[in-house]
C-alpha cells in the first residue's frame, strides 16, 4: 500500500482553487456553456433575436430582426446606416462649413478690388497698396452682412426641415443632405447669432421672413406654446393679432399704393410659420434637398453681384481749381492723399492726380443704390432701412444732398 494519497475524482488540484465538484456530476460541454452565457445577456437593439416559438432545428436559423428605434434629427450621436463613425462625419462637415464661411469673404474682398479698379491691373495694384486688409474686411462686413446672414439663415432653416424628415428616406438612400449635415455640426450660439445679425441688418421689408425661418430652424410648432388646445389657439390668435396691430397702417398704405410685393412680404410669412415645421413626405425629401441647395446657391450668386460691385471707398465730389480761375468738380473715390497729390479714382474710370494746392472743397455723396424705391414706413422707420440704419437716422438725421452730387 502506497504512502501517497490518491486524488479523488473531481477534487481540485493541490495548486489550484475553486469549488469541489461531485464525483457523479457530468462534464458540461463547452457549447452548452456558451449558449447559456449568451442567452443570459439582453439582445442589442437592431440585432437578430430568435423566435420564441422555435427552439431548435433548421427553423432556429431564421432570425427575427428588431428594427432600431428612429432617432431624432438633432441626435448627433446616432450611428449611420453605412457604418461610418458620426465623429468622422461631423469633422468632414465642419471642415467644409468653416472653409466656406472663411473663404467666401476673402474671395469676395479680392473680387471687389478688381471690380472697383475697372479690371485694370495697375489700378488694382494701386488699391491693394492703399486699402489695408482691416479696412477691406470692415468694408466687406458692413456691406455684405446681409448676404452672409441670408446664407446662414437659409442653410439652418432648410437643414433643420430636411433633418427632421431624413428618417423617412427610402432604404439605401440614407445619405443626409448637405444642409442637414451643416446644421447638425453648427453650435446653437452660431445659429442664434446668425438670426440676430439678420435682425439688425436686413431691411424692415424682409424681416417678416425671419419668423418662418426661425420656426423652421428650431422646429417649433404651436404645440410648444401650451399643452392644452384651447390655450394654444388663444396664444396663436393673440400673437397674430399683435403682429397685425403693429403693421396695420403699413399694410393699408401698401394696399392704397398698389404695392403688392411689400404687402405679401409683410402679411404672408407669419401665416407660413404655423405649418412649416415637421417632417416632409419621404418621396419629396431627396428632390427638395437638391433643388433647395441649387436655389440657395443661385440666390447667393444673385445677391453677391451688388456686393461685389459696391465701391470699397466712399463716393465724393472734389472741387478743383485755382484761386482766381474757374473750378471743376471731380466725381470719384479718394484713394490716398499725401503732401503733393490727392489720388482720385474717377467714377467714369481712370485715376487722376490732383495737386493738393488746387483742392477747393469736397463733399460726400450717396450712390444711386441708396435712393429709396418705396414710400412705405413702419412707425417712422422706412421699410428699406434696417434697424441699425433706422436708429442711425434718428441719431443723425439725413441732411440735404449737395447740389454738386446731382
Amino acid at each position: 500500500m502506497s504512502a501517497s494519497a490518491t486524488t479523488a475524482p473531481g477534487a481540485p488540484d493541490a495548486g489550484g482553487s475553486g469549488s469541489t465538484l461531485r464525483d457523479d456530476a457530468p462534464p458540461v460541454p463547452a457549447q452548452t456553456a456558451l449558449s447559456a452565457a449568451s442567452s443570459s445577456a439582453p439582445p442589442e437593439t437592431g440585432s437578430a433575436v430568435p423566435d420564441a416559438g422555435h427552439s431548435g432545428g433548421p427553423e432556429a436559423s431564421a432570425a427575427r430582426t428588431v428594427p432600431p428605434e428612429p432617432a431624432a434629427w438633432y441626435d448627433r450621436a446616432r450611428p449611420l446606416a453605412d457604418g461610418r463613425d458620426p465623429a468622422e462625419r461631423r469633422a468632414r462637415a465642419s471642415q467644409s462649413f468653416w472653409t466656406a464661411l472663411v473663404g467666401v469673404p476673402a474671395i469676395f474682398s479680392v473680387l471687389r478690388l478688381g471690380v472697383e479698379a475697372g479690371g485694370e491691373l495697375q489700378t488694382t495694384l494701386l488699391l491693394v497698396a492703399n486699402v489695408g486688409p482691416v479696412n477691406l474686411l470692415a468694408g466687406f462686413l458692413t456691406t455684405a452682412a446681409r448676404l452672409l446672414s441670408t446664407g446662414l439663415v437659409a442653410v439652418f432653416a432648410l437643414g433643420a426641415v430636411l433633418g427632421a424628415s431624413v428618417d423617412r428616406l427610402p432604404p439605401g438612400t440614407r445619405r443626409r443632405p448637405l444642409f442637414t449635415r451643416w446644421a447638425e455640426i453648427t453650435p446653437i450660439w452660431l445659429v442664434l447669432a446668425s438670426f440676430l445679425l439678420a435682425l439688425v441688418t436686413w431691411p424692415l421689408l424682409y424681416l417678416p421672413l425671419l419668423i418662418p425661418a426661425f420656426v423652421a430652424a428650431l422646429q417649433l410648432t404651436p404645440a410648444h406654446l401650451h399643452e392644452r388646445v384651447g390655450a394654444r389657439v388663444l396664444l396663436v390668435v393673440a400673437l397674430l393679432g399683435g403682429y397685425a396691430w403693429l403693421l396695420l397702417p403699413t399694410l393699408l398704405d401698401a394696399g392704397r399704393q398698389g404695392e403688392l410685393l411689400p404687402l405679401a412680404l409683410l402679411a404672408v410669412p407669419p401665416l407660413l410659420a404655423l405649418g412649416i415645421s415637421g417632417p416632409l413626405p419621404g418621396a419629396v425629401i431627396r428632390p427638395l434637398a437638391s433643388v433647395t441647395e441649387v436655389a440657395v446657391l443661385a440666390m447667393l450668386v444673385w445677391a453677391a453681384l451688388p456686393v461685389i460691385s459696391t465701391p470699397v471707398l466712399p463716393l465724393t465730389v472734389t472741387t478743383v481749381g485755382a484761386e482766381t480761375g474757374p473750378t471743376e468738380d471731380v466725381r470719384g473715390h479718394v484713394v490716398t492723399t499725401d503732401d503733393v497729390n490727392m489720388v482720385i479714382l474717377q467714377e467714369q474710370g481712370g485715376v487722376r492726380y490732383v495737386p493738393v494746392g488746387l483742392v477747393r472743397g469736397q463733399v460726400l455723396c450717396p450712390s444711386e443704390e441708396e435712393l429709396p424705391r418705396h414710400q412705405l414706413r413702419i412707425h417712422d422707420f422706412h421699410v428699406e432701412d434696417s434697424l441699425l440704419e433706422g436708429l442711425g437716422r434718428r441719431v443723425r438725421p439725413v441732411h440735404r444732398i449737395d447740389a454738386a452730387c446731382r
Side-chain angles (χ1 to χ4, degrees):
M1 197 173 175
S2 174
S4 63
T6 59
T7 304
D13 202 19
S17 62
S19 60
T20 305
L21 300 178
R22 297 197 310 267
D23 295 343
D24 55 350
V28 180
Q31 183 177 1
T32 306
L34 292 177
S35 301
S38 61
S39 62
S40 62
E44 297 181 357
T45 302
S47 61
V49 179
D51 195 353
H54 302 278
S55 58
E59 292 82 6
S61 59
R64 177 170 54 88
T65 303
V66 180
E69 296 182 359
W73 68 269
Y74 49 80
D75 185 6
R76 303 179 183 180
R78 59 177 171 180
L80 300 179
D82 54 2
R84 288 183 301 157
D85 186 9
E88 179 183 357
R89 179 198 66 188
R90 292 195 300 268
R92 292 183 178 180
S94 178
Q95 290 177 0
S96 60
F97 175 78
W98 290 109
T99 299
L101 189 64
V102 176
V104 170
I107 295 175
F108 273 47
S109 300
V110 176
L111 292 177
R112 289 184 67 182
L113 290 180
V115 173
E116 180 77 3
E120 298 181 0
L121 176 61
Q122 298 303 321
T123 306
T124 304
L125 296 178
L126 177 65
L127 293 177
V128 171
N130 291 278
V131 179
V134 176
N135 296 335
L136 188 61
L137 180 60
F140 173 81
L141 294 178
T142 302
T143 56
R146 295 176 183 177
L147 175 64
L148 181 62
S149 61
T150 300
L152 293 177
V153 166
V155 168
F156 297 149
L158 294 173
V161 172
L162 295 174
S165 312
V166 74
D167 290 326
R168 296 189 175 186
L169 286 173
T173 58
R174 300 288 291 180
R175 179 173 176 81
R176 308 173 71 78
L178 177 62
F179 287 173
T180 299
R181 299 197 300 270
W182 283 4
E184 288 179 347
I185 57 95
T186 305
I188 188 63
W189 65 264
L190 182 57
V191 177
L192 298 178
S194 302
F195 278 92
L196 180 60
L197 180 63
L199 180 65
V200 299
T201 57
W202 282 17
L204 298 181
L205 183 61
Y206 301 101
L207 281 187
L209 294 175
L210 288 179
I211 300 176
F214 186 79
V215 170
L218 298 184
Q219 286 296 291
L220 302 176
T221 60
H224 290 87
L225 296 177
H226 202 277
E227 58 183 7
R228 301 179 60 181
V229 178
R232 190 185 309 165
V233 173
L234 291 178
L235 288 175
V236 170
V237 171
L239 291 175
L240 292 179
Y243 180 84
W245 173 82
L246 179 65
L247 296 182
L248 183 59
T250 306
L251 295 175
L252 295 177
D253 290 342
R256 284 193 295 264
Q257 299 176 17
E259 297 281 359
L260 298 181
L261 180 59
L263 186 63
L265 289 175
L266 294 175
V268 175
L271 302 177
L272 183 62
L274 296 178
I276 198 172
S277 299
L280 301 173
V284 302
I285 297 175
R286 184 59 60 185
L288 182 63
S290 303
V291 170
T292 52
E293 290 173 4
V294 175
V296 170
L297 179 61
M299 179 193 68
L300 292 179
V301 171
W302 174 75
L305 294 179
V307 175
I308 295 177
S309 59
T310 301
V312 181
L313 302 171
L315 178 63
T316 60
V317 173
T318 305
T319 303
V320 181
E323 294 183 1
T324 58
T327 59
E328 177 188 2
D329 291 334
V330 181
R331 186 182 180 94
H333 309 274
V334 178
V335 179
T336 184
T337 303
D338 54 21
D339 296 337
V340 180
N341 293 318
M342 175 183 291
V343 183
I344 302 176
L345 179 61
Q346 300 181 101
E347 189 179 34
Q348 302 300 327
V351 178
R352 182 168 177 177
Y353 290 82
V354 178
V356 176
L358 298 181
V359 176
R360 293 291 168 259
Q362 193 174 55
V363 294
L364 187 66
C365 299
S367 60
E368 296 182 0
E369 291 77 10
E370 298 177 68
L371 301 178
R373 290 172 293 179
H374 300 285
Q375 297 179 358
L376 298 174
R377 306 186 74 86
I378 301 178
H379 296 280
D380 296 334
F381 287 88
H382 196 271
V383 294
E384 296 179 64
D385 288 341
S386 64
L387 287 178
L388 287 180
E389 293 171 346
L391 294 175
R393 296 187 194 281
R394 289 195 171 190
V395 176
R396 297 285 186 271
V398 180
H399 62 279
R400 286 184 174 272
I401 300 178
D402 196 275
C405 298
R406 298 186 174 94

